[in-house]
Amino acid sequence: MPELPEVEVVRQGLDRFVVGRRIDRVEVYEPRSVRRHVAGPAEFAASLTGRTVTAARRRGKYLWLPLDDEDALVGHLGMSGQLLVQPASAPPDRHLRVRMSLSDGNELRFCDQRTFGGLLVSPHGALLPAEIAHIGPDPLDPVFDEDAFRSALRRRRTGIKRALLDQSLTSGIGNIYADEALWRARLHYARPTETLRRGEVDRLLVGVRDVLRDALGEGGTSFDALYVNVNGESGYFERSLHVYGRGDEPCDRCGTPIRRDPFMNRSSYTCPRCQPRPRRARW
Ligand SMILES: [Zn+2]
């Protein structure tokens, strides 16, 4: 599942290869991929045709392309979605769901094997689409409010990792980056949020930002070609992981074997020495 850095890499690619181009033709092959456009696939296509893309923006794992009529094309990649910019002559992917012909001869193609992702046109959504206004900004977003984050985190009265995964508190942090940020901040995932001291929250924010920036730095090299891609497994970042997926391997800081615990149907990885489990734990 793509996490924030992967989606940001896609946004950068869209910024480079789609902004400034006009959408000349739209074909929807899979109605499920535009199911959240309630007016239906034909209206979806009609409202995009002839519009020029003026920017490429992101909030959490949502992308939106403001259009020259103040509407916006909104996209979410779901589990397996990809937004590809390819020449019209390139053979289409087996999972091509929506095809948009651009004025420069390329095509913006939405491919999605499992069809959990989707596209919609948001009326007057250029600034911030109403459909995603409930998503909190991520810690790399210039509009992210640190003080609001600190107080909201304490009020949450839950385990710190569960709070990090809550998209209304801060968006775009999935299981992998939560574990990595907590290791960097030397905090256990089950720490009750109301017990966090200010310095610990600051450490957490530094950890989250560092891990996201590092992942972005590695992903940023992957789109030299005319190709905007999401690697759903975030494979390129795998080399830099300190705890995630490294059960029983030595901690990069202290050598203690990394511990894997079940967590919300998935796993949590910690160093038992760097991230001691709190006496009072909250899941
Ligand atoms: Zn350690």
Side-chain angles (χ1 to χ4, degrees):
M1 185 158 179
E3 295 207 45
L4 182 149
E6 291 85 344
V7 180
E8 173 60 18
V9 168
V10 173
R11 190 202 64 77
Q12 292 170 7
L14 293 171
D15 191 47
R16 189 162 154 198
F17 298 120
V18 176
V19 171
R21 279 69 160 185
R22 193 182 60 241
I23 300 170
D24 286 338
R25 208 169 111 111
V26 179
E27 288 161 283
V28 177
Y29 301 112
E30 174 51 72
R32 273 182 301 168
S33 293
V34 295
R35 64 189 173 282
R36 291 203 289 159
H37 187 86
V38 287
E43 209 277 337
F44 171 85
S47 56
L48 287 175
T49 305
R51 300 269 64 91
T52 296
V53 176
T54 60
R57 304 203 193 288
R58 180 184 59 75
R59 165 79 50 109
K61 293 196 238 179
Y62 283 86
L63 294 159
W64 80 95
L65 299 174
L67 306 169
D68 57 358
D69 61 355
E70 302 300 314
D71 291 352
L73 171 60
V74 182
H76 192 274
L77 302 172
M79 301 287 284
S80 56
Q82 291 179 302
L83 277 165
L84 309 172
V85 179
Q86 296 176 323
S89 56
D93 184 282
R94 196 152 68 85
H95 304 293
L96 177 63
R97 307 301 186 197
V98 180
R99 183 206 297 260
M100 288 163 271
S101 307
L102 304 175
S103 51
D104 65 356
N106 289 313
E107 291 182 348
L108 176 59
R109 297 173 175 179
F110 181 67
C111 303
D112 192 3
Q113 184 180 353
R114 302 180 65 183
T115 64
F116 289 125
L119 304 175
L120 64 87
V121 178
S122 172
H124 315 291
L127 225 50
L128 177 65
E131 293 82 357
I132 60 177
H134 64 285
I135 308 275
D138 65 72
L140 296 182
D141 194 319
V143 305
F144 182 81
D145 183 338
E146 288 194 10
D147 290 333
F149 175 79
R150 278 190 198 95
S151 44
L153 187 66
R154 285 208 192 88
R155 277 200 306 273
R156 213 44 68 109
R157 301 185 79 81
T158 181
I160 188 172
K161 180 171 171 183
R162 195 177 274 270
L164 277 181
L165 297 176
D166 180 343
Q167 301 297 298
S168 66
L169 186 66
T170 172
S171 60
I173 301 170
N175 203 39
I176 299 174
Y177 297 109
D179 279 4
E180 292 299 309
L182 288 166
W183 180 83
R184 290 183 190 223
R186 299 172 190 247
L187 292 167
H188 190 275
Y189 61 86
R191 264 294 290 280
T193 53
E194 69 272 22
T195 68
L196 288 168
R197 292 184 293 273
R198 190 190 167 97
E200 290 176 319
V201 177
D202 288 347
R203 247 159 54 206
L204 179 65
L205 274 174
V206 169
V208 167
R209 287 186 171 132
D210 282 355
V211 77
L212 293 177
R213 276 202 204 98
D214 285 359
L216 271 175
E218 305 207 8
T221 57
S222 68
F223 61 95
D224 298 334
L226 187 61
Y227 183 70
V228 185
N229 193 19
V230 163
N231 176 350
E233 305 301 317
S234 56
Y236 56 81
F237 186 59
E238 226 175 290
R239 292 180 305 258
S240 323
L241 296 177
H242 291 287
V243 281
Y244 186 85
R246 294 196 54 218
D248 296 329
E249 290 177 40
C251 169
D252 289 336
R253 229 167 9 214
C254 73
T256 306
I258 299 298
R259 177 189 164 97
R260 184 183 77 83
D261 297 323
F263 182 86
M264 290 170 78
N265 297 321
R266 287 185 286 179
S267 300
S268 273
Y269 295 89
T270 51
C271 168
R273 186 162 169 201
C274 298
Q275 303 164 269
R277 193 182 150 158
R279 210 171 301 154
R280 192 158 59 87
R282 260 225 183 97
W283 318 94

